[in-house]
Amino acid sequence: MSPFWIDLIIILIKVIVVMGALLGGVMMMAIVERRGAGFLQERLGPNRVGPWGFFQPIADGIKLFFKEEFIPAQAHKLLYLAAPAFFVFIAFATFAVIPFGDKLELFGRTIQLQIADVNIGILYIFAFASLGVYGIVIAGWASNNKFSLMGGLRSAAQMISYEVALGLSIIGILMVVHSLRLNDIIVAQTHYWGYLPRWNIFVQPLGFLIFLIATFAEVNRIPFDLCEAEQELVVGYQVEYGSMKFVMYYMGEYVNLVTFSALIVVLFFGGWHIPWIEGLAIHPLLLALLQVGAFVVKVFAFLWFFVWVRWTFPRFRYDQLMRFGWLVLLPLAIFNIFATGVVMVLIP
Amino acid sequence: MRVVTPKLSIIDRIYIPALVKGLYTTIKHFFMRRFTQEYPEEKRKPFPGYRGLHRLNKDHLGRVKCVACYMCATACPSQCIEIEAAEAPWKDREKYPVKFEINTLRCIFCGMCEEACPELSIQLTYIYEMADVTREAFVRRKDDLLATNEFWVLKEY
């Protein structure tokens, strides 16, 4: 076989593995979220289907699959049907540039454990993540329901406000690393300060905080889930969606969650880097697998953090959300850039 | 009314310590005892005086204690007890019930029948699992009521 075909097959395998891992992550999250909620509220949560309730998402999926396919009479049919598909597509596509491991030497070939090694990885992620809001806004408009529309509008306003802070909060990292490629950012974090790994959380603590908060807004999780707000807007843009279309939103949301957890890990927690492992003599193949494992563990730690926060904090009011985004996060992000610049000049 | 908003210190205005405290509170509950009772495996123990399904008691000779005095049917606020009396075949009483039906769908489990009964014949047990699939099954006849005791189990279908 010619190298082209081999490369193609390798990429296809990577795509399938990542898709499978993401869907598996969605299923894991569906059960972890519900059982985690139960545990945090001193309940047990769903534990009937399978061991530890683990097949609950499958049971839910089967149930939702057999629900009635319903389209509201006054809805814009095409957009109504296209919106969830668009949302879930964007959610999956965003993950394409996340590196989930170091280079893997296999059969004399170097395989980059990443679907697409784009040199503007961060820009790609932000571009696609902002496209995700279209799935919500179109759904809100097309389903011809005032609650949906309000959810969509709120979501649009929220995304615009928080994406500014999100984007500005990582400028500090880009200034330090001098690259937009996610692999370069990880490699830059594999150095040490004494015994402390030089992860960006220690370099950019303020940037991390802003990024974390803005991420919650970006993935519509609870302190900022204004577009869903089940008490005011029922569930906002999802009101008119049932059956598999609802599942698509559900899946898309969790995939977004996984993507942004992975992004936090890549940007601030050294990605696949395992600290203090360089001195040990480990077979390179095993090391690569360990690094993938470390990445997955870190991502799951953040996924759990998202769940933990969801069952801890109440939702922001709309004006609080806007004031917080524009008057607190944005100035802080700009201050972070300024402070990083000053430090870089003082300590070359 | 004038609402006085307290002056917040700089630490309170940063909010981060409060957020961490909140997260600590919830994770503390993560490790606490769970209050869930897993129902079909783990049954609730009714408290003393719980008013569940009715039963008719028997005397030491195994005869029904009821003397068909209609006190319970009269006392019943939801009128769910239907008694048909007949001449007792025994010397020590005049009447006995040939038909004694309680419609448990009408019954409100107030326990008034129990209080009205002069013979301590009708009693409410601790049984609270009375689900069934037909309306007829909820009308508990004399034999059902006599067979009802604390060890009464659900019918198999």
Side-chain angles (χ1 to χ4, degrees), chain A residues 4-259:
Chain A
F4 170 74
W5 288 105
I6 297 175
D7 283 346
L8 191 69
I9 287 169
I10 288 172
I11 285 194
L12 276 179
I13 288 172
K14 280 196 288 196
V15 168
I16 289 166
V17 166
V18 167
M19 280 287 279
L22 278 178
L23 286 172
V26 169
M27 266 182 56
M28 282 282 285
M29 278 313 286
I31 187 67
V32 165
E33 174 122 63
R34 293 180 61 187
R35 289 223 72 180
F39 277 37
L40 288 171
Q41 295 167 355
E42 298 179 5
R43 304 183 278 117
L44 285 173
N47 62 350
R48 293 280 142 176
V49 194
W52 212 71
F54 222 77
F55 299 134
Q56 184 70 40
I58 297 174
D60 287 351
I62 292 170
K63 183 198 79 176
L64 284 163
F65 196 78
F66 283 108
K67 289 222 163 193
E68 185 189 353
E69 198 73 28
F70 175 77
I71 299 174
Q74 300 296 315
H76 189 295
K77 249 186 203 149
L78 181 70
L79 289 179
Y80 175 81
L81 292 173
F86 184 74
F87 187 72
V88 82
F89 163 72
I90 294 297
F92 276 110
T94 316
F95 200 84
V97 293
I98 303 266
F100 49 91
D102 203 357
K103 293 175 187 66
L104 188 66
E105 301 278 346
L106 208 60
F107 308 120
R109 245 167 200 291
T110 310
I111 299 168
Q112 187 73 46
L113 288 181
Q114 183 183 19
I115 291 174
D117 191 8
V118 190
N119 59 359
I120 49 161
I122 288 181
L123 286 185
Y124 172 92
I125 285 178
F126 283 144
F128 266 73
S130 4
L131 277 179
V133 73
Y134 281 100
I136 295 173
V137 175
I138 290 172
W141 182 79
S143 46
N144 196 19
N145 176 318
K146 55 191 117 171
F147 293 114
S148 295
L149 186 61
M150 282 175 79
L153 284 175
R154 281 181 178 195
S155 178
Q158 178 186 325
M159 289 279 185
I160 290 167
S161 312
Y162 279 75
E163 215 142 70
V164 181
L166 191 75
L168 287 176
S169 66
I170 58 154
I171 300 277
I173 292 178
L174 304 184
M175 285 161 77
V176 176
V177 178
H178 296 298
S179 174
L180 287 165
R181 186 193 293 257
L182 290 170
N183 267 319
D184 293 348
I185 294 173
I186 294 173
V187 170
Q189 295 179 68
T190 54
H191 308 300
Y192 290 89
W193 280 342
Y195 277 109
L196 195 68
R198 204 190 142 285
W199 288 357
N200 278 332
I201 169 126
F202 305 118
V203 185
Q204 293 275 329
L206 184 60
F208 168 68
L209 204 63
I210 298 163
F211 189 84
L212 189 68
I213 294 168
T215 299
F216 277 99
E218 190 71 16
V219 296
N220 294 322
R221 291 288 293 193
I222 218 153
F224 305 103
D225 67 336
L226 266 288
C227 65
E228 288 183 26
E230 51 270 27
Q231 290 86 356
E232 311 145 35
L233 299 183
V234 204
V235 275
Y237 62 95
Q238 295 176 359
V239 173
E240 299 287 1
Y241 286 92
S243 168
M244 283 312 276
K245 297 191 287 298
F246 169 77
V247 176
M248 276 176 159
Y249 276 113
Y250 196 77
M251 237 159 56
E253 264 175 28
Y254 278 121
V255 171
N256 269 339
L257 201 61
V258 175
T259 309

Side-chain angles (χ1 to χ4, degrees), chain B residues 115-133:
Chain B
E115 281 174 36
C117 186
E119 297 287 325
L120 209 69
S121 171
I122 189 164
Q123 269 188 324
L124 301 185
T125 62
Y126 286 157
I127 295 164
Y128 54 86
E129 293 166 312
M130 308 173 215
D132 219 314
V133 287

